[in-house]
Amino acid sequence: MLNEESDDREIVDIIWFPTGGGKTEAYLVLAAMEIFHRRLKHKEKGYGTAVLKRYTLRLLTSQQFERASRLICACETIRQDRPELGAEPISLGLWVGEGSSPNAYTKATGTGGALEKHKEALEAEKPEIFFSLTACPWCGTSIYPESYDDDDDCYGVKATETSFKIFCPEEKCAFHDEIPVNVVDEHLYKYPPTLVVATIDKLARAAWDSRSRTLFGVRCNGESVIPPTLVIQDELHLISGPLGTVAGVYECAFDVLMCKPKIIAATATIRR
């Protein structure tokens, strides 16, 4: 991973452990290493999205996302104490379909928005997870009140027509102002997260929405940074049949777009 001239960068390495064996921890620590390595070696050019973590359609669970968010909070805490890791925050973004997260600021706020729907669900005592995180990754405080409450300070979500952020309601928490996690596409395009967690179908949006280029090294101001250098493909065994064929169409394009990133795959089911 650190040797950019290594022939092994052309190889897809597979992390193959039985379920519960630690695959997620193995590739998350590799992701952290690459995030720091880019910034130490390339300075500002190492900003932007460093790692792309891909899941098959609808297989991404809130538990997986929360584990990634704990890692990112730890990385950001380290960055704040080490000037050599740069001024740009280390962050996490969820890039999935609108059924799982709001794709625009207007979908998160206002009448009929995700935040209002969540409050209505709480009032009806039928809570749902609208923003993927249920608790602060750092201190464990619930992001949402247990029951309906008109006080917006009880909600660890602030949404307006032009912004969106998740924060920890606990005032003493290091991430009371903002948790470095976002789930709204508009925000991700404007502030490309260091680690992007995406479902593989979402990558097809790159052909339809030019704003997504910011996730691949093109900044909003036209400047460029190094594109993602590590791709993590979880549940590799599901990339087969029709889904594998569709994914393959885009794979060549992304290989060129990201200048041949190192690919790490993980699965507990390697047979065939």
Side-chain angles (χ1 to χ4, degrees):
M1 190 70 235
L2 298 185
N3 180 6
E4 296 170 3
E5 303 302 319
S6 172
D7 292 338
D8 287 339
R9 292 185 70 88
E10 298 288 328
I11 298 171
V12 175
D13 282 305
I14 301 177
I15 301 173
W16 173 37
F17 302 149
T19 299
K23 294 183 295 298
T24 302
E25 288 73 15
Y27 62 59
L28 283 181
V29 76
L30 181 64
M33 185 182 74
E34 178 59 10
I35 287 168
F36 291 142
H37 172 245
R38 280 171 53 113
R39 292 183 174 224
L40 290 171
K41 182 174 182 178
H42 302 290
K43 309 304 180 185
E44 286 82 3
K45 284 287 184 181
Y47 289 174
T49 301
V51 183
L52 179 63
K53 187 165 180 264
R54 306 186 304 194
Y55 283 86
T56 46
L57 183 61
R58 298 187 184 281
L59 199 71
L60 174 63
T61 65
S62 58
Q63 182 193 43
Q64 291 280 10
F65 187 64
E66 287 178 354
R67 288 162 92 177
S69 69
R70 287 197 292 272
L71 171 85
I72 290 301
C73 283
C75 290
E76 172 58 10
T77 300
I78 293 171
R79 183 203 66 83
Q80 291 173 1
D81 290 334
R82 293 177 179 265
E84 65 271 26
L85 291 174
E88 183 172 287
I90 293 174
S91 58
L92 170 67
L94 181 65
W95 198 34
V96 295
E98 202 159 82
S100 300
S101 70
N103 288 174
Y105 293 134
T106 53
K107 297 287 186 180
T109 190
T111 304
L115 187 55
E116 183 184 80
K117 288 180 179 177
H118 186 269
K119 290 181 178 180
E120 289 174 353
L122 278 176
E123 191 172 16
E125 297 184 351
K126 294 180 180 179
E128 296 181 49
I129 301 172
F130 280 91
F131 304 111
S132 299
L133 283 183
T134 56
C136 172
W138 199 242
C139 71
T141 300
S142 177
I143 289 174
Y144 315 109
E146 292 184 6
S147 59
Y148 177 72
D149 195 319
D150 262 339
D151 184 0
D152 284 342
D153 290 337
C154 292
Y155 286 86
V157 176
K158 286 186 179 177
T160 72
E161 297 286 331
T162 57
S163 67
F164 178 89
K165 75 173 183 177
I166 302 173
F167 67 95
C168 179
E170 173 54 57
E171 293 184 5
K172 295 180 181 180
C173 179
F175 296 100
H176 174 60
D177 289 333
E178 184 173 5
I179 297 171
V181 172
N182 214 288
V183 298
V184 177
D185 285 11
E186 279 189 86
H187 184 94
L188 306 189
Y189 299 150
K190 189 174 182 180
Y191 307 102
T194 317
L195 168 60
V196 171
V197 175
T199 46
I200 201 166
D201 60 297
K202 189 70 177 185
L203 294 171
R205 290 300 305 165
W208 298 92
D209 192 338
S210 63
R211 295 176 302 170
S212 64
R213 64 187 176 177
T214 60
L215 303 178
F216 301 97
V218 180
R219 312 290 275 187
C220 291
N221 59 8
E223 296 178 357
S224 63
V225 294
I226 298 170
T229 41
L230 173 62
V231 172
I232 299 168
Q233 176 62 59
D234 209 352
E235 306 295 355
L236 178 69
H237 60 281
L238 295 179
I239 306 298
S240 61
L243 177 61
T245 302
V246 173
V249 171
Y250 292 93
E251 199 65 38
C252 293
F254 284 112
D255 199 42
V256 172
L257 197 60
M258 291 186 273
C259 303
K260 295 188 178 295
K262 176 61 180 175
I263 302 177
I264 300 292
T267 179
T269 312
I270 201 63
R271 188 175 59 175
R272 298 196 298 274

